[in-house]
């Protein structure tokens, strides 16, 4: 099954990095065959027999600790899949395929009504699935557990409430600031061939090993493990917005570091992957935001950046550059949001999903609820469905419970950073010297090496000594933006 | 099985075009898993049942003509595989793996003795296989049949004798010529980025569709069908020998045209491939040699070539260029041989293989026999084993019966060209105008579209009206070299 996984990932990578257009229809069939085969193996009678034998009373004594964990992990997936009646799962696959197409058409026409019946079906299937999976707690908990094992509405409500309580006031103070950074110079022409050179240079500085990976171009950047020793990243190059690709590359490099440092003893097991979507995101955001957007980083690398495109950066001071890349501007589109508003975009989606699955909100009422929350959190209202409720593809693919990972990743990253500094001392001097090895090593030995052996909660406890605590992110953001905008002290 | 075939080809392509080094060991395991799975399916009891049912008396009436041919093709492979005892096949796989490593070491040390015991084993396994497969004709026939269905020692002896009888005298006349073309300018610096541009330009001129393929770089050029609508080619770029990559690219383009033009109704069947190794080679050689090395081709494209690298070609006349790329120089290495000496390299290997399998030659006596034949056919004697008997990897991989394809391809190509001209009229004017569409269309409708539905012999009869006839190649070469070297007329 892990070998089929490598095959699937390679086909995914190839399909997006340059497979000839005309071959993609046949490629899709091959992906279908191999995915179906892998799924069939995961729920086969043979697998059932294995699991029964391996979890029978007394059998534990014969298994190594890792094998026990592998069995538990496979059993969890087996139980989850086996609980859905086969006919229902098949019907759901078709509903999803149609929903994907309907969402594309609806987004293009900016008309939620075209997508609504599909979304209603998707929600209703996922409601039933969550009932099959669990009869305890909030109906949304079972969906959260798929993406971040152990996460619950109860925890998220608490954490997100604290985030909102301090981010929204911070945001409104920032918005009142009169000194608006000049960002116009960021959007000048930066030849793509030179951007490529710069990305390769920075990846090598960060410690990405091109003997164990490669950088390619795609419409949306991603990182993908082909196997434990071959983790590839992709980026996009926008000629008049170099930031877009640059921070994308650093982000994906963070994902790649994770997969490249999982303990070798986990190779070939389903534990040879990240602990959860949220923990994975913590690694990419750590590098993209906490390192790649730090003053220390640009203290060292701004001269290098400027040297790669003199026309663009001559006469621009390092500080002006740093302020420009931190300009805060509430916007409609999540993936274009700045560091400060981004978590609010995610919380909005979380609250809507939670309400849907608790039957407190109807699909038909989503667009209205969306507009209200945008106004409340960000002070803006989307002009249409395309810039509002139809912007993300997740729901059309039946991905409910996944959005929180994007905010969790940020929270985890800040909490890990706090623990790292406690252990290593201030990391800014390391970054200023381009000495990333101790940082990489800390992340590898505390987080990466464990693969999926620990839940996010266990990782947090073991690494930071406390459960999820939003104060770390809030303190980090307050301190950072206070310095940038020279705000008065906060209450 | 065809889907697994796509997966295997993609992994092969990826492993050679830029997969990170460190991931290749795990990749090899995945390739092993998928290959083994595909092989197991091909000889499974299930396959046996299918074949019995589909070939049972009376069942033919229910099958479409194509399905009947598919069944026959699958049955042929099934019978071939099933005749080898499983344990023997497994042992042979190990022998091959060891032989590959031993050949590499032996070649590097230029010491045949290190490879000899492995080669003896490989020959003895293949002798037994050929006995399992057939008890009729020459023992080498069964091996020839694997690579060129229907080909026999009897036919090849006759054809190669005719070739030798006229090529060897032609070669010795050419060697006596006093006017030796200046070739030194061919080996000047040609920046690789500009070579790439040139290759893309020429591929587009020839009609290679980048929506259905792509060009990458590898150590050895190849063409590979990922699927019927995605056939990729690779080349190598040598900075001070632009010819190497250029003719390589045109060669692989010829292979790609074949796979891209097989009838759509054959997609998903084992007939969706070339008729044989020899027929495939006829398509690549047709484009590389009969088109790409023609005077008409360079009449049109020499100015384009020269414009891509003015420093190299300024002051060099078109005719001088044409003569230079046709300089004949007997050399030790087959893959570096010119048009005229190449078939003799192949015939040499054929004669040695045939003698081995007829028990007329011992493996231990191969190096001596090699030297004798090199002296007889080419007038030179290799200084060591590396430049002689150890140069090719084929034997180390157990590939016996494959070498003749390289000469057959050339013979087929010339015979097809003769038929094409009979039907279309002279093709030089088309080439001079860069009007390759009628040539591509002729090859597609006469050869490509049939995939593996016809044997090479059937194809030759249907397309050219006669069985394999070496006169076409001989006449072509005599005429061409007579013009280049202004030789006296031949007897």
């Amino acid at each position: 099954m892990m070998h089929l996984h490598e095959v699937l990932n390679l086909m995914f990578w190839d399909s997006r990095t340059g497979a000839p257009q005309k071959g993609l229809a046949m490629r899709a069939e091959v992906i279908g065959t191999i995915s179906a085969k892998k799924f069939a193996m995961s729920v086969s009678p043979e697998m059932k027999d294995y699991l029964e034998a391996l979890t029978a009373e007394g059998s534990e004594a014969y298994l190594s600790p890792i094998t026990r964990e592998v069995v538990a992990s496979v059993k969890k997936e087996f139980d989850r899949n086996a609980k859905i009646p086969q006919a229902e799962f098949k019907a759901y696959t078709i509903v999803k395929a149609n929903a994907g197409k309907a969402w594309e058409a609806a987004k293009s026409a900016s008309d939620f009504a075209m997508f609504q019946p599909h979304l209603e079906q998707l929600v209703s299937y996922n409601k039933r699935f969550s009932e099959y999976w669990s009869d305890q707690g909030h109906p949304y908990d079972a969906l959260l557990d798929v993406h971040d094992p152990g996460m619950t509405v109860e925890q998220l409500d608490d954490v997100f409430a604290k985030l909102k309580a301090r981010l929204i006031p911070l945001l409104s103070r920032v918005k009142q600031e009169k000194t608006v950074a000049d960002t116009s110079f960021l959007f000048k022409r930066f030849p793509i061939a030179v951007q490529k050179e710069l990305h390769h240079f920075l990846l090598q500085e960060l410690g990405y090993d091109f003997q164990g990976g490669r950088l390619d171009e795609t419409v949306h950047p991603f990182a993908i493990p082909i196997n434990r020793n071959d983790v590839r990243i992709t980026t996009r190059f926008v000629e008049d917005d170099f930031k877009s690709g640059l921070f994308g590359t650093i982000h994906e490099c963070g994902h790649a570091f994770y997969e490249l440092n999982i303990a070798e003893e986990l190779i070939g097991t389903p534990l040879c992957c990240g602990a959860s979507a949220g923990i994975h995101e913590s690694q990419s955001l750590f590098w993209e935001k906490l390192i790649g957007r730090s003053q220390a980083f640009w203290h060292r690398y701004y001269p290098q950046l400027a040297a790669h495109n003199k026309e663009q950066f001559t006469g621009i001071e390092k500080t002006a550059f740093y302020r420009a890349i931190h300009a805060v501007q509430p916007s409609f589109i999540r993936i274009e949001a700045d560091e400060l508003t981004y978590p609010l975009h995610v919380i909005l989606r979380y609250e809507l999903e939670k309400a849907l699955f608790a039957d407190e909100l109807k699909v038909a009422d989503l667009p209205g609820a969306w507009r209200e929350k945008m106004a409340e959190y960000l002070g803006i209202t989307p002009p249409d469905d395309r810039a509002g409720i139809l912007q993300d593809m997740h729901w059309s693919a039946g991905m409910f419970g996944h959005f929180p990972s994007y905010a969790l990743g940020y929270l985890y990253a800040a909490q890990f950073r706090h623990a790292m500094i406690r252990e290593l001392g201030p990391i800014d001097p390391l970054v200023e010297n381009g000495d990333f090895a101790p940082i990489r090593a800390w992340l590898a030995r505390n987080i990466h090496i464990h693969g999926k052996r620990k839940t996010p909660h266990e990782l947090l406890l073991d690494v930071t000594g406390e459960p999820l605590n939003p104060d770390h992110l809030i303190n980090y953001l307050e301190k950072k933006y206070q310095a940038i905008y020279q705000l008065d002290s906060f209450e």
Side-chain angles (χ1 to χ4, degrees), chain A:
Chain A
M1 286 170 66
M2 294 306 288
H3 284 177
L4 295 184
H5 188 65
E6 171 158 348
V7 162
L8 286 168
N9 281 6
L10 179 66
M11 287 195 285
F12 179 91
W13 174 85
D14 180 68
S15 299
R16 274 156 188 79
T17 51
Q21 278 303 313
K22 291 185 178 172
L24 290 180
M26 291 181 66
R27 166 63 54 82
E29 287 180 36
V30 180
I31 291 175
T33 297
I34 305 289
S35 306
K37 174 75 190 162
K38 185 167 172 250
F39 183 78
M41 288 169 86
S42 79
V43 294
S44 63
E46 215 176 339
M47 182 65 87
K48 189 161 177 268
D49 290 347
Y50 288 146
L51 288 172
E52 274 170 10
L54 291 167
T55 55
E57 223 184 292
S59 65
E60 259 206 5
Y62 298 96
L63 305 178
S64 71
I66 287 180
T67 307
R68 263 178 254 159
E69 292 166 36
V70 168
V71 170
S73 170
V74 174
K75 190 171 184 323
K76 187 171 176 181
E77 200 196 330
F78 180 89
D79 289 342
R80 185 137 61 197
N81 289 328
K83 279 175 184 162
I84 302 176
Q86 265 194 319
E88 199 169 333
F89 188 82
K90 202 169 168 186
Y92 175 60
T93 310
I94 295 163
V95 165
K96 268 204 295 188
N98 292 331
K101 286 178 214 150
W103 169 74
E104 275 179 28
K107 184 175 178 183
S108 153
S110 195
D111 180 3
F112 178 71
M114 290 166 66
F115 182 49
Q116 187 185 317
H118 297 274
L119 186 53
E120 281 165 350
Q121 281 193 289
L122 288 167
V123 168
S124 112
Y125 271 97
N126 276 279
K127 259 185 201 161
R128 274 204 305 281
F129 296 167
S130 89
E131 283 163 22
Y132 294 144
W133 292 336
S134 167
D135 52 8
Q136 293 175 339
H138 194 283
Y140 186 59
D141 283 354
L143 297 170
L144 283 174
D145 187 69
V146 173
H147 303 281
D148 231 66
M151 188 51 65
T152 61
V153 164
E154 196 183 340
Q155 286 177 77
L156 279 185
D157 277 349
D158 177 53
V159 165
F160 284 170
K162 287 180 182 151
L163 254 186
K164 279 198 292 186
R166 284 168 67 188
L167 278 195
I168 295 174
L170 173 59
L171 181 61
S172 75
R173 273 162 181 270
V174 163
K175 279 168 72 181
Q176 283 156 25
E177 274 304 299
K178 308 235 157 41
T179 48
V180 173
D182 172 25
T183 58
S184 60
F185 69 89
L186 293 175
F187 302 98
K188 290 197 174 155
R189 183 172 172 272
F190 196 143
I192 284 173
V194 189
Q195 288 192 44
K196 261 183 216 179
E197 259 180 59
L198 176 68
H199 286 217
H200 277 263
F201 165 73
L202 286 176
L203 283 171
Q204 262 149 347
E205 286 286 303
L206 293 175
Y208 180 71
D209 176 5
F210 280 90
Q211 293 283 305
R214 47 181 287 165
L215 176 66
D216 293 271
E217 259 184 272
T218 49
V219 178
H220 299 291
F222 62 82
I224 190 161
I226 304 297
N227 60 48
R228 153 64 169 67
N229 299 322
D230 173 2
V231 184
R232 307 180 185 185
I233 63 183
T234 73
T235 194
R236 72 180 148 210
F237 297 103
V238 183
E239 201 178 50
D240 56 4
D241 184 5
F242 78 95
K243 282 191 290 90
S244 165
L246 187 70
F247 289 115
T249 291
I250 301 176
H251 182 97
E252 303 310 334
C253 178
H255 281 304
F257 282 156
Y258 198 170
E259 299 280 341
L260 285 164
N261 286 295
I262 298 173
E264 292 198 9
E265 60 187 353
L266 297 179
I267 289 175
T269 78
L271 304 178
C272 192
C273 62
S276 75
I279 297 289
H280 229 305
E281 201 67 12
S282 79
Q283 298 308 294
S284 52
L285 290 172
F286 179 88
W287 287 96
E288 178 200 344
K289 297 202 186 291
L290 308 188
I291 301 288
R293 286 182 181 267
S294 70
Q295 228 171 338
F297 186 83
W298 291 109
H299 179 72
R300 181 176 182 86
Y301 292 107
Y302 182 65
Q304 305 273 8
L305 169 71
H308 274 79
N309 199 20
K310 289 189 185 122
E311 244 177 90
Q312 180 168 14
F313 298 108
T314 299
I316 308 288
E317 291 295 321
K318 198 186 297 182
T319 313
F321 171 78
Y322 180 69
R323 286 176 64 96
I325 61 169
H326 286 89
V328 172
Q329 182 61 57
S331 68
F332 301 118
I333 307 298
R334 176 183 61 88
I335 57 169
E336 292 166 6
D338 56 72
E339 234 177 345
L340 208 50
T341 55
Y342 186 82
L344 298 169
H345 283 269
V346 175
I347 294 173
L348 175 151
R349 285 151 179 77
Y350 162 69
E351 291 173 347
L352 297 180
E353 288 191 354
K354 186 183 67 169
L356 278 177
F357 283 87
D359 289 325
E360 293 162 10
L361 182 69
K362 282 188 185 133
V363 168
D365 299 329
L366 269 174
W370 184 288
R371 278 192 297 271
E372 276 168 37
K373 283 191 188 284
M374 279 298 277
E376 185 187 344
Y377 299 163
L378 296 173
I380 54 176
T381 310
D384 55 23
D385 291 341
R386 186 181 3 221
I389 191 145
L390 291 176
Q391 66 182 267
D392 287 309
M393 54 67 69
H394 300 63
W395 289 345
S396 74
M399 288 171 83
F400 302 99
H402 186 268
F403 276 119
S405 307
Y406 296 127
L408 284 170
Y410 211 176
L411 292 159
Y412 293 150
Q415 189 164 334
F416 287 141
R417 176 177 174 274
H418 184 79
M420 182 188 285
I421 290 168
R422 201 169 51 202
E423 195 179 320
L424 299 183
I427 57 172
D428 282 349
L430 296 173
V431 175
E432 274 180 21
N433 288 322
D435 184 13
F436 299 107
I439 297 173
R440 284 201 317 272
W442 190 93
L443 294 169
R445 74 171 172 270
N446 283 291
I447 300 163
H448 304 172
I449 197 169
H450 302 299
K452 206 184 172 181
R453 295 186 70 180
K454 301 184 180 187
T455 65
H457 180 68
E458 287 165 349
L459 260 184
L460 282 180
L461 278 187
D462 291 351
V463 179
T464 73
E466 56 178 339
L468 180 56
N469 177 355
D471 286 346
H472 300 294
L473 178 62
I474 296 164
N475 293 342
Y476 161 79
L477 287 173
E478 282 184 354
K479 195 171 159 200
K480 178 164 187 174
Y481 280 87
Q482 200 161 353
I484 293 171
Y485 283 86
Q486 292 141 341
L487 304 171
D488 302 332
S489 67
F490 289 87
E491 61 278 7

